[in-house]
């Protein structure tokens, strides 16, 4: 092998091979090609040996280039996946924190100015609705679905308690009615929000 890292048989191809392959692997491959070249020279003649040498060197270069391109693409895809996951987390955490601040402010204000139940329940319901709107605007799907479920449950429980005229936590048949109402409302909200997000993706 020459001082420049090639065998001197096909200098241009050898230089390219050294550039696209790791040095250790390139040296080993060039050594194998040189050995094969000498054998072919002795058996098939120099011209045939040179053609075979160039063909195998070119194939090795092409394979290395394709492999490197695939690695670059895979690396970019991995970066995109990480970026999407990070953006998903930031959106959902941010939306939930905004909801929590709004809920805390509304519930505390309702408790101080209007007393306890049902003002605090209406405040919590308003906070959940505001949270759903914020989450959908921020495309924070997980938080939006979670808060929509809270809206359904709060609305159903509030309706049952107002209907029964009780301030205590609902139990028995009232609790079953609240759960059924929450399930129905949650399903409706889920369908509506799914269509909203799908329309946003299509747009």
């Amino acid at each position: 092998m020459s001082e420049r890292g090639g065998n001197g048989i096909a200098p241009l191809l050898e230089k390219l091979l050294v550039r696209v392959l790791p040095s250790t692997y390139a040296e080993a491959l060039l050594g194998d090609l040189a050995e094969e070249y000498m054998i072919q020279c002795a058996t098939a003649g120099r011209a045939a040996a040179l053609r075979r040498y160039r063909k195998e060197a070119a194939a090795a270069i092409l394979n290395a280039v394709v492999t490197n391109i695939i690695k670059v693409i895979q690396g970019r895809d991995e970066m995109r996946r990480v970026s999407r996951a990070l953006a998903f987390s930031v959106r959902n955490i941010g939306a939930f924190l905004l909801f929590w601040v709004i809920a805390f402010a509304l519930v505390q204000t309702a408790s101080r100015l209007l007393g306890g139940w049902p003002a605090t329940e209406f405040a919590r319901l308003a906070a959940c609705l505001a949270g759903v709107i914020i989450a959908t605007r921020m495309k924070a799907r997980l938080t939006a679905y979670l808060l929509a479920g809270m809206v359904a449950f709060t609305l159903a429980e509030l309706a049952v308690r107002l209907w029964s005229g009780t301030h205590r936590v609902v139990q028995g048949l009232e609790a079953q009615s609240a759960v059924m109402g929450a399930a129905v409302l949650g399903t409706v909200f889920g369908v509506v929000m799914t269509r909203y997000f799908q329309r946003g993706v299509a747009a």
Side-chain angles (χ1 to χ4, degrees):
M1 188 176 294
S2 68
E3 295 180 357
R4 295 184 179 181
N7 297 321
I9 302 171
L12 179 59
L13 290 175
E14 291 165 4
K15 288 179 181 179
L16 290 174
L17 196 59
V18 170
R19 285 182 176 274
V20 299
L21 287 175
S23 58
T24 303
Y25 184 67
E27 290 177 4
L29 181 58
L30 287 172
D32 292 341
L33 289 175
E35 184 178 351
E36 179 67 21
Y37 173 77
M38 297 302 295
I39 294 173
Q40 289 295 319
C41 282
T43 57
R46 186 176 182 280
L50 183 59
R51 285 195 300 270
R52 184 181 180 88
Y53 183 93
R54 288 173 175 170
K55 181 180 179 180
E56 292 185 359
I61 292 170
L62 179 60
N63 181 67
V65 170
V66 172
T67 301
N68 290 336
I69 291 174
I70 292 174
K71 287 181 179 179
V72 170
I73 293 173
Q74 289 176 340
R76 290 179 178 176
D77 289 341
E78 183 64 25
M79 290 180 63
R80 290 193 190 100
R81 284 194 291 269
V82 172
S83 178
R84 284 196 294 266
L86 181 61
F88 175 84
S89 300
V90 170
R91 286 197 303 268
N92 282 279
I93 293 173
F96 188 82
L97 288 176
L98 287 174
F99 154 74
W100 188 87
V101 171
I102 293 171
F104 180 81
L106 289 179
V107 171
Q108 290 297 317
T109 301
S111 178
R112 291 176 182 177
L113 298 181
L114 302 175
W117 193 91
T120 53
E121 287 297 308
F122 278 109
R124 188 174 68 171
L125 178 61
C128 290
L129 287 170
V132 170
I133 295 172
I134 291 171
T136 52
R137 292 295 183 182
M138 294 177 63
K139 293 182 172 56
R141 291 192 180 191
L142 182 61
T143 301
Y145 284 121
L146 174 64
L147 295 181
M150 292 177 64
V151 168
F153 180 79
T154 303
L155 190 59
E157 184 185 27
L158 184 59
V160 171
R161 291 174 70 178
L162 288 173
W163 178 264
S164 62
T166 179
H167 294 182
R168 60 179 174 79
V169 177
V170 293
Q171 297 177 352
L173 182 60
E174 296 171 349
Q176 293 177 3
S177 300
V179 171
M180 290 177 62
V184 172
L185 289 174
T187 302
V188 173
F189 291 160
V191 171
V192 172
M193 292 176 62
T194 298
R195 290 182 178 178
Y196 173 83
F197 283 121
Q198 288 177 344
R199 188 166 58 249
V201 171

